[in-house]
Amino acid sequence: MNNEDISIRQGRPEEADRIADLIIMAMTEECCLHFCGPNHDIHDFRRVMSSLVARDDSQYSYLNTLVAVEEPDSVPGVSAHGRIVGICVSYDGGLLHQLRQPFIDAALKEWDMDHSSIPDETQAGELYLDSLAVDPAYRGRGIAKLLLQASIQKGKDMNLPSTGLLVDVGNPKAEILYNKVGFQYAGTNTWGGHGMRHLVIKN
């Protein structure tokens, strides 16, 4: 395993489309379609998600996104900023309602879907890891672990007591990865129509 060519940094607004693609991968297409409803497709969801990433006030903002980047010198043809091969979106759980409002507003305007009563997936005192994904071509190199470790450090830097996330009950392989990093089971939740397990690590 060689990650010498991989670095972790904050995302940029011009990278919104690429970040949105990886957020969709993290959410799964099934969950995305649940949110945008039967009259819209994944392309409609992607367009809205890209706009939310490009903003500075949404939960999916580039400001809340750490990206794993393959350095440009290591791959011919890659831009000067490098190729994004993974993402981790995280934010202060105490700001959830404020940060989620742009998504609620966009869903109502663009898809005629009212998600104002969606259950809270986090709470104050927690850096919430909203979305984590690695490009399939780069999996097995420990990139997800690097993103998780960087996010845990982000929570510590923000002086938040813990870092938490939700993992689908049907994805035990992912939960094993989180356990190896130090996350422990803390309860159950529901998100995107799926049963989820809440995992937490103390900062």
Side-chain angles (χ1 to χ4, degrees), residues 108-142:
L108 192 60
K109 178 183 177 182
E110 301 292 338
W111 309 321
D112 197 28
M113 294 289 288
D114 184 1
H115 292 304
S116 57
S117 61
I118 188 171
D120 290 354
E121 62 260 44
T122 183
Q123 63 278 318
E126 176 179 85
L127 178 74
Y128 179 61
L129 305 191
D130 185 292
S131 306
L132 172 70
V134 174
D135 186 311
Y138 290 82
R139 291 175 185 170
R141 292 178 53 180

Side-chain angles (χ1 to χ4, degrees), residues 7-196:
S7 62
I8 309 295
R9 62 165 171 79
Q10 184 176 291
R12 298 170 175 146
E14 64 270 20
E15 297 166 335
D17 288 346
R18 175 60 174 164
I19 292 171
D21 285 340
L22 288 164
I23 290 174
I24 289 170
M25 188 180 299
M27 293 175 68
T28 76
E29 187 169 324
E30 180 185 357
C31 282
C32 296
L33 294 177
H34 167 82
F35 283 117
C36 66
N39 299 319
H40 298 276
D41 61 22
I42 197 65
H43 302 291
D44 297 321
F45 188 91
R46 181 182 185 272
R47 176 175 50 80
V48 171
M49 182 56 68
S50 292
S51 70
L52 292 171
V53 174
R55 294 175 61 152
D56 60 11
D57 61 348
S58 85
Q59 67 193 103
Y60 301 108
S61 172
Y62 67 94
L63 292 174
N64 295 327
T65 305
L66 291 178
V67 296
V69 177
E70 185 171 45
E71 294 301 328
D73 292 342
S74 65
V75 181
V78 172
S79 77
H81 296 308
R83 173 175 172 75
I84 294 176
V85 299
I87 57 98
C88 189
V89 179
S90 63
Y91 44 83
D92 183 341
L95 301 177
L96 174 63
H97 291 177
Q98 172 187 328
L99 293 171
R100 190 164 62 189
Q101 194 60 47
F103 175 81
I104 293 172
D105 294 343
L108 192 60
K109 178 183 177 182
E110 301 292 338
W111 309 321
D112 197 28
M113 294 289 288
D114 184 1
H115 292 304
S116 57
S117 61
I118 188 171
D120 290 354
E121 62 260 44
T122 183
Q123 63 278 318
E126 176 179 85
L127 178 74
Y128 179 61
L129 305 191
D130 185 292
S131 306
L132 172 70
V134 174
D135 186 311
Y138 290 82
R139 291 175 185 170
R141 292 178 53 180
I143 294 173
K145 184 177 181 180
L146 289 177
L147 285 164
L148 287 170
Q149 290 171 334
S151 298
I152 292 167
Q153 184 59 51
K154 173 182 171 179
K156 292 178 179 178
D157 293 343
M158 293 170 66
N159 295 314
L160 291 172
S162 66
T163 297
L165 54 86
L166 295 183
V167 60
D168 196 305
V169 295
N171 192 2
K173 186 176 181 180
E175 185 166 352
I176 289 172
L177 167 65
Y178 301 137
N179 290 158
K180 286 181 178 178
V181 176
F183 287 90
Q184 299 296 322
Y185 173 74
T188 58
N189 206 323
T190 301
W191 183 88
H194 284 230
M196 311 292 282

